């Protein structure tokens, strides 16, 4: 079921792709930042990525099992 949903999403994205409107990651982040709570959302996402990187480094230096 999940594969069907992913396939449908990818198919829809391929069918409706417009290279003139594509902005990439930079455009997506700017669109989020322009929203009323965009700065807070980006801060939370950045903190989550930083926390995950600290976790990965700690797990790499002290493997379990």
């Amino acid at each position: 079921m999940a594969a069907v949903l992913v396939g449908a999403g990818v198919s829809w994205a391929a069918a409706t792709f417009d290279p003139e409107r594509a902005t990439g990651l930079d455009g997506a982040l700017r669109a989020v930042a322009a929203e009323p709570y965009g700065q807070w959302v980006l801060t939370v996402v950045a903190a989550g990525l930083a926390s995950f990187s600290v976790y990965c480094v700690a797990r790499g230096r002290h493997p379990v099992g």
Side-chain angles (χ1 to χ4, degrees), residues 1-64:
M1 184 65 177
V4 172
L5 292 174
V6 170
V10 169
S11 297
W12 177 78
T16 61
F17 178 71
D18 182 13
E20 298 297 322
R21 291 184 46 214
T23 60
L25 182 59
D26 181 54
L29 292 176
R30 288 182 191 274
V32 171
E35 295 299 318
Y37 294 106
Q39 295 294 329
W40 289 103
V41 171
L42 291 178
T43 301
V44 168
V45 169
L49 289 172
S51 299
F52 184 66
S53 67
V54 169
Y55 166 77
C56 288
V57 169
R59 184 78 189 252
R61 292 189 51 92
H62 305 288
V64 176

